[in-house]
Amino acid sequence: MQVQDLLERYQKGERDFSHVDLSGASLSGVNLRDADLTGANLTGANLSWAFLSRANLTATCLRRADLRSASLNNAILNQAILSGANLSKADLRLAQLQSADLNWAVLQEADLSSANLQEAKLDQVNLERAKLGSSLLTGAELMEANLRRANLASANLDRANLREAHLEEANLREASLISTNLIEANLSGVYLRQANLTGADLHRVILTGADLSEAILSNADLSRANLAGAYLLKASLSKAHLLRANLEDVYLLRADLKDANLRGASLQRADLSGAYLSDTSLNEADLSDAYLLESHLIRTNLDGAQLTGCCIANWHLEDTDFSKTNCRYVFTQFNYTTKSPTDRYPTGRELEPGELGRQYDEDNAVIEVHLTEAPNWEALAFTLAQIGREGNGLALTVKAYESSDDHYLVRLKASRTVNAKILSRRIFQLYPEVLQRLITHQAEIANLLTIAPQDCEPNLTLDCPPQPAPAEPKLLPSPDRRIRLYQEVVRQMQHIMMSQAPEQFVQSVQQLLNYLTRQGIATEDIQKKVVSQVITQRAKQDTSFRAHMQRWEKTAPEAARLSTVGQAMRLAIALMWTETKQP
């Protein structure tokens, strides 16, 4: 049939042109809306800018046809042959392309929104910057396809074959990729937020810098995948395979990694804060400098894992064995202002083999608080409430209380496994401050609780604490709140200096001295006698502490050396050195 005859018959209202042969015909810009071209031969035809809306092109041969900017919205192209055709900027919205052959076709910037491409052949197709939102691509063949910067939001790609496809910076938000083949595909910078990749094969896939926040990757195979710098916030990776995957600098905050296999994975500097690692395999994984803040490690396999430099603040442990981990040191706190880990453990040295495991064998949900004076239960209750707020709902209850002539022990039960030593230290830091605030505002609190005031001893105000102090200070209780505060801070200093390394207590004790000064309480007596005497006493009893003192003197910053506590420390070192030289 000649083109002119076709157009004349169309003008007269005829629409059935099935099986016509118009190969190589020039039909640019023609109007063939609603035409039936079933089984027609349009090989190499020029249909650029043609109007083919709602046309029936079932099984039509359009091999190497020119369909640039053609209007094919709602057209039926099921089983059509479009291999090598040029459909760049074509309008294919809601088009039916089931089982169509589009291998090597050019669909650059084409609009295929809500199109049906089930089982279509799209190997090596060019869909760069194409619009495929809400399109149906289940079971489609897209091997080595170019989908760079394409919009596939809410598209269905279940069971599709995207092996070695290029999807750099594509938008796949809320897309479904269940059991999809993405082996060795390039998805760097892709947007996969809330996408469903359950059971997908992502072996050796490239996902660097990709956004997979809240994505579902359950049972997905990401073995040897490269996810460096990717965002996986709140992602579900339960039972996922991440064997030897590159997860360096990855954000896995609050991600679900239950039963996931991360054997040999590289997680250097990865942020796993709040992540769930229940029954997760991390054996031989590299977690150097990773963030495990408030992470949940329950029966986690860490055999052979590298944990050096991890920040483990407030992590939750249960039935996790650290005896076979490799770790030189960890950080036990995190500074949210500077966004950096703090409180290196251990200070001034490195962990011995197996020491981290022993440390956490000793730590459990029971915290012991040792006091030299009977506790103020109101202040302790408020202290525990503040600790609970700092620990994101951590509940602490009194389990037992023991007292002797000069010693009081309170045993606390935590609602989850904690680092007892760190938590005990925090309670000691907070309790004196809370006690002071309670004493100061006691009348206001009683008024708020409608508690009637009782007769009490007069408030004796002293300008400063008693000046004379014994060699080993043991201050007697007094009703005066400033003396009480003075006594409590002295006890706190003694505890800190007897339990912490010099790098830690120099700063801690200096802060307590500064606090007393701000309260208008003189500290000369403490500076001259208490600090030096306690340091000297500990040095005589503990040989390792003496070694720590000498290391501190050589490595301490100038500001620490010149502080009040630093000077007392240097005086104690000088006295110790003088005593060792005497015959």
Side-chain angles (χ1 to χ4, degrees), residues 40 55 83 98 144 151 207 274 291 337 348 429 436 463 495 546:
S83 57
Q98 292 183 61
E144 300 182 50
N151 183 1
L207 279 160
Y291 296 89
T337 303
Q429 290 172 345
Q436 169 61 23
D463 292 333
H495 173 78
R546 291 200 293 271

Side-chain angles (χ1 to χ4, degrees), residues 5 30 44 107 198 234 254 278 295 336 349 356 366 397 417 438 490 516 520 557 564:
D5 292 339
V30 299
L107 287 143
T198 302
K234 299 183 184 179
R254 296 173 65 185
S278 176
S295 300
Y336 288 92
R349 63 181 183 88
L356 184 65
V366 177
T397 55
T417 304
L438 180 66
V490 167
L516 285 177
T564 302

Side-chain angles (χ1 to χ4, degrees), residues 100 197 443:
L197 292 116

Side-chain angles (χ1 to χ4, degrees), residues 38-60:
T38 302
N41 184 2
L42 290 161
T43 303
N46 183 358
L47 287 152
S48 59
W49 298 95
F51 295 92
L52 292 156
S53 302
R54 299 180 300 279
N56 189 346
L57 293 149
T58 302
T60 300

Side-chain angles (χ1 to χ4, degrees), residues 189-193 207 209-213 230-232:
V190 76
Y191 193 68
L192 277 159
R193 187 180 284 261
L207 279 160
D211 188 348
L212 290 132
S213 300
Y231 291 81
L232 288 143

Side-chain angles (χ1 to χ4, degrees), residues 59-165:
T60 300
C61 184
L62 289 152
R63 185 180 285 114
R64 298 187 302 279
D66 186 353
L67 288 149
R68 289 173 296 167
S69 301
S71 179
L72 288 151
N73 58 297
N74 289 283
I76 302 171
L77 290 138
N78 297 330
Q79 294 91 44
I81 300 170
L82 290 145
S83 57
N86 189 343
L87 291 125
S88 56
K89 297 186 179 180
D91 182 359
L92 286 149
R93 288 172 296 163
L94 296 165
Q96 299 292 317
L97 288 147
Q98 292 183 61
S99 303
D101 184 353
L102 287 145
N103 290 335
W104 309 292
V106 178
L107 287 143
Q108 199 167 1
E109 298 184 62
D111 192 345
L112 290 127
S113 302
S114 301
N116 188 339
L117 290 137
Q118 290 184 84
E119 310 293 336
K121 297 177 178 65
L122 293 144
D123 290 342
Q124 297 186 41
V125 70
N126 185 352
L127 283 155
E128 187 165 354
R129 294 190 299 277
K131 297 174 183 176
L132 289 146
S134 301
S135 59
L136 192 57
L137 285 148
T138 54
E141 289 288 332
L142 286 148
M143 279 186 64
E144 300 182 50
N146 177 4
L147 287 149
R148 293 183 179 94
R149 293 178 289 281
N151 183 1
L152 289 141
S154 301
N156 190 329
L157 290 133
D158 294 348
R159 303 182 308 282
N161 184 2
L162 284 149
R163 183 170 185 143
E164 298 181 54

Side-chain angles (χ1 to χ4, degrees), residues 302-506:
L302 289 161
D303 290 355
Q306 176 61 255
L307 294 171
T308 299
C310 277
C311 184
I312 60 172
N314 296 321
W315 67 352
H316 311 280
L317 305 176
E318 185 178 327
D319 297 328
T320 299
D321 184 6
F322 292 89
S323 61
K324 297 178 183 177
T325 57
N326 299 309
C327 187
R328 301 198 308 276
Y329 60 90
V330 293
F331 294 97
T332 59
Q333 295 297 322
F334 185 79
N335 188 322
Y336 288 92
T337 303
T338 62
K339 306 295 182 186
S340 59
T342 61
D343 291 10
R344 183 188 189 274
Y345 175 81
T347 55
R349 63 181 183 88
E350 293 187 350
L351 289 166
E352 298 174 1
E355 185 179 351
L356 184 65
R358 293 193 297 273
Q359 168 74 16
Y360 282 97
D361 283 341
E362 295 169 1
D363 290 341
N364 49 44
V366 177
I367 304 97
E368 292 188 349
V369 180
H370 297 270
L371 301 168
T372 55
E373 187 179 77
N376 181 305
W377 294 107
E378 291 175 280
L380 185 60
F382 285 123
T383 301
L384 300 185
Q386 177 60 29
I387 294 291
R389 284 192 289 270
E390 293 176 2
N392 290 332
L394 173 69
L396 293 169
T397 55
V398 177
K399 183 181 179 182
Y401 173 64
E402 299 174 13
S403 64
S404 60
D405 293 338
D406 58 353
H407 181 79
Y408 303 86
L409 172 61
V410 180
R411 285 195 176 91
L412 304 171
K413 176 70 175 178
S415 59
R416 59 174 183 256
T417 304
V418 294
N419 187 320
K421 292 181 180 178
I422 293 173
L423 200 56
S424 176
R425 186 189 308 163
R426 177 58 182 148
I427 292 169
F428 268 107
Q429 290 172 345
L430 196 59
Y431 176 72
E433 299 175 19
V434 173
L435 179 61
Q436 169 61 23
R437 291 198 295 269
L438 180 66
I439 293 169
T440 303
H441 300 285
Q442 198 160 26
E444 297 174 40
I445 295 169
N447 185 51
L448 286 170
L449 296 171
T450 64
I451 298 172
Q454 295 180 353
D455 294 334
C456 59
E457 296 179 17
N459 182 26
L460 304 175
T461 304
L462 302 180
D463 292 333
C464 61
Q467 293 302 312
E472 292 186 16
K474 184 172 179 63
L475 304 175
L476 298 173
S478 168
D480 184 79
R481 68 178 184 81
R482 299 176 72 192
I483 294 180
R484 284 178 180 272
L485 179 60
Y486 180 87
Q487 293 172 335
E488 191 59 47
V489 170
V490 167
R491 285 192 293 272
Q492 175 68 6
M493 287 180 182
Q494 291 173 320
H495 173 78
I496 289 172
M497 288 187 290
M498 290 300 288
S499 61
Q500 294 183 9
E503 294 84 352
Q504 295 175 310
F505 75 62
V506 167

